[in-house]
Amino acid sequence: MANVDISNIDSLSFVRVLLKEEIPIILMSSRRNEIFSWRALVEGACFFLEKPISFDDLKYVWQHSYIYKRRSKTQLEDARKPEQEILLNRGNISQVDAQVHIFDENSVKESQNACNMEQHLVMANDQIQEQGGLIKTKRSLDDDRGGEKKRNLNSDNENSNSFMVPTEEKGKEMNENNNGHVKKKRKPRIVWTSELHLKFIEAVSSLGDIKARPKLILQKMNVPGLTQRQVASHLQNYKARVRQISDNVIRDLSSNTGSLQTLERIKPSVVGQPTLNSNDFAAAGKTQGAGTVQVENASGISSNVANSGKSLKQFSEGNQEVKAIAVLEPPAASSVNAGKSAYAALLKFLDEDEEEIRAGLGGELKPADLDRYCEWLREALMEKSEHSE
DNA sequence: CCTGAAATAT
DNA sequence: TATATTTCAG
């Protein structure tokens, strides 16, 4: 699954490279561009999804991958054309329209309320240190001097949350030294537990990269005490991480295929906002799915290199793995020998929630169980939002 | 409201 | 030392 910048026609070359390897490719974008999607589909892309991606989009993505994989090359040639569909508006696939959009505003909001995140939030409270009266930094000096934009750090509105685990007791927010001067306590740093991160991921995924801004994310996460700046900071780090991994994948892919060299050269500094990938999206629902990592470079081109990792194997029969998996598995001598290291990092990144996923599935699934799996997925997600009532 | 940077904390 | 988070400032 590749997140592409439809404004950059060169993104199409990325599509070609993957297709040359017979890797089914599904494109995603936050914006829509009929021309671009049309061209991509003509090239052979399976789908073109508009983000944010819905649960139903994923469901059909899976089925498509499976079907695709079962066909022989020749059959594929014939089948490709007919199977292509433009999914500019999710729901273009007839049957999904009526289905519940798991990650719509309400369900997310609800599920979030229930999860008492506070229990999972842990502040590194031990480190709260006094800034000894002697130690003065530029800032402390400035503050002592004028303190214009004094923040209500000491007010108990956001520092009194249980997960903020105050060092001592609340109310002792101010410390006085022998001079009677009041000092600010540095707010204890937040710990992004997997649960918290999960909420973050869910929020971002449901918003889509365009709207995934700190304020909205914070709002969707609905975690008391969490500040917008913290979310912003986390978002920034997250983006950087995804970007780096993606860059590596692209780099390795380029160096081994040659076809992507053009893309690599165009890649100065990264701009644009990496979007949340479907892997996170899937992970958020405690499901596993075709994970993707976004790749993007300054030229505006961006792509998500699909991954499926172990989870995907559950859908494979015997040795017949979906072609896309082959890319992530130790490449067969004959196939792409691209980026083992990059894939390793990618897999590690994507496997973070492996356990939860596995627990949820409870057992191996066979391709034939796809629908059952989807049903399970739906129920799991629904259940989650119900409990939160 | 956002984010670059400095200051800090890990 | 390298990263991550909080604060400041614009």
Side-chain angles (χ1 to χ4, degrees):
Chain A
M1 298 180 72
N3 184 58
V4 296
D5 181 337
I6 52 181
S7 67
N8 189 334
I9 282 301
D10 210 21
S11 297
L12 287 173
S13 60
F14 180 78
V15 174
R16 292 195 200 92
V17 172
L18 292 184
L19 288 175
K20 193 171 297 180
E21 302 296 332
E22 292 183 59
I23 297 172
I25 182 171
I26 294 168
L27 300 176
M28 305 182 286
S29 179
S30 290
R31 287 192 294 156
R32 74 171 59 183
N33 181 317
E34 315 271 336
I35 304 298
F36 184 95
S37 38
W38 167 255
R39 292 189 59 175
L41 292 173
V42 168
E43 290 285 343
C46 304
F47 289 102
F48 194 104
L49 308 174
E50 183 180 344
K51 295 195 292 183
I53 297 173
S54 72
F55 168 83
D56 295 307
D57 291 335
L58 288 186
K59 173 175 178 176
Y60 286 88
V61 159
W62 274 104
Q63 296 186 335
H64 187 92
S65 294
Y66 180 61
I67 293 172
Y68 189 102
K69 163 243 171 183
R70 292 185 75 187
R71 314 206 169 187
S72 68
K73 288 186 181 179
T74 47
Q75 291 177 307
L76 232 174
E77 284 303 305
D78 303 328
R80 188 173 277 169
K81 294 286 164 73
E83 268 194 68
Q84 294 172 356
E85 295 182 59
I86 296 183
L87 299 181
L88 276 176
N89 247 328
R90 59 169 163 283
N92 199 339
I93 301 179
S94 53
Q95 321 150 53
V96 293
D97 290 328
Q99 300 183 337
V100 180
H101 187 167
I102 303 292
F103 287 98
D104 67 7
E105 310 237 350
N106 296 320
S107 53
V108 169
K109 194 173 301 174
E110 288 168 15
S111 71
Q112 320 262 299
N113 285 329
C115 271
N116 191 355
M117 289 314 284
E118 299 184 29
Q119 294 184 311
H120 305 299
L121 294 177
V122 182
M123 299 302 284
N125 51 338
D126 297 332
Q127 309 66 16
I128 304 177
Q129 308 169 333
E130 306 300 321
Q131 292 193 342
L134 307 177
I135 305 170
K136 298 230 172 183
T137 61
K138 283 182 189 171
R139 283 181 181 157
S140 61
L141 282 174
D142 289 344
D143 290 342
D144 288 345
R145 203 178 301 146
E148 33 286 80
K149 273 198 172 182
K150 291 291 184 185
R151 306 200 170 177
N152 47 339
L153 274 179
N154 306 305
S155 64
D156 51 332
N157 58 351
E158 59 180 19
N159 278 351
S160 56
N161 295 293
S162 57
F163 66 89
M164 293 301 252
V165 189
T167 346
E168 311 287 309
E169 292 301 311
K170 303 172 185 174
K172 291 276 182 180
E173 312 268 323
M174 296 295 223
N175 289 312
E176 300 187 23
N177 61 12
N178 40 23
N179 291 320
H181 279 193
V182 187
K183 315 244 164 189
K184 275 187 287 191
K185 256 185 185 173
R186 185 188 175 82
K187 178 193 255 180
R189 50 163 50 194
I190 189 178
V191 176
W192 287 87
T193 62
S194 56
E195 285 85 351
L196 190 53
H197 181 64
L198 204 60
K199 267 186 174 293
F200 170 81
I201 294 307
E202 281 180 347
V204 176
S205 298
S206 65
L207 287 169
D209 49 350
I210 298 291
K211 291 188 293 184
R213 238 84 272 302
K215 188 179 183 185
L216 281 180
I217 296 174
L218 175 63
Q219 195 178 306
K220 276 209 178 267
M221 287 180 72
N222 186 35
V223 177
L226 191 61
T227 70
Q228 191 169 312
R229 194 69 185 84
Q230 291 173 311
V231 171
S233 183
H234 192 59
L235 179 63
Q236 187 177 350
N237 292 330
Y238 181 72
K239 283 155 104 177
R241 246 195 320 158
V242 172
R243 195 151 54 217
Q244 195 196 6
I245 293 172
S246 303
D247 279 351
N248 292 337
V249 174
I250 274 282
R251 171 170 49 64
D252 294 349
L253 209 53
S254 310
S255 64
N256 286 291
T257 23
S259 319
L260 275 180
Q261 280 169 10
T262 319
L263 303 185
E264 164 142 82
R265 264 184 250 119
I266 306 175
K267 155 188 136 190
S269 61
V270 189
V271 191
Q273 321 79 9
T275 78
L276 237 289
N277 53 60
S278 1
N279 169 59
D280 292 321
F281 179 79
K286 293 194 187 307
T287 89
Q288 89 296 352
T292 70
V293 163
Q294 184 184 57
V295 176
E296 188 162 359
N297 64 27
S299 66
I301 194 171
S302 64
S303 53
N304 278 297
V305 177
N307 151 66
S308 329
K310 308 164 191 171
S311 359
L312 228 189
K313 289 180 185 172
Q314 299 180 54
F315 288 93
S316 62
E317 286 178 315
N319 307 322
Q320 306 179 45
E321 308 256 349
V322 175
K323 188 65 181 179
I325 303 179
V327 185
L328 302 163
E329 296 300 318
S334 57
S335 79
V336 212
N337 194 28
K340 286 181 182 175
S341 59
Y343 290 130
L346 190 150
L347 283 176
K348 183 181 177 184
F349 178 76
L350 297 175
D351 276 354
E352 285 174 356
D353 298 304
E354 176 76 24
E355 302 230 350
E356 296 176 71
I357 289 169
R358 187 140 302 188
L361 281 176
E364 302 266 316
L365 287 179
K366 295 183 177 182
D369 296 325
L370 226 178
D371 275 333
R372 190 160 68 76
Y373 161 73
C374 288
E375 202 39 51
W376 168 84
L377 174 57
R378 178 190 309 289
E379 286 170 7
L381 294 172
M382 300 280 268
E383 190 174 285
K384 185 179 175 185
S385 54
E386 282 176 19
H387 287 330
S388 54
E389 291 285 74

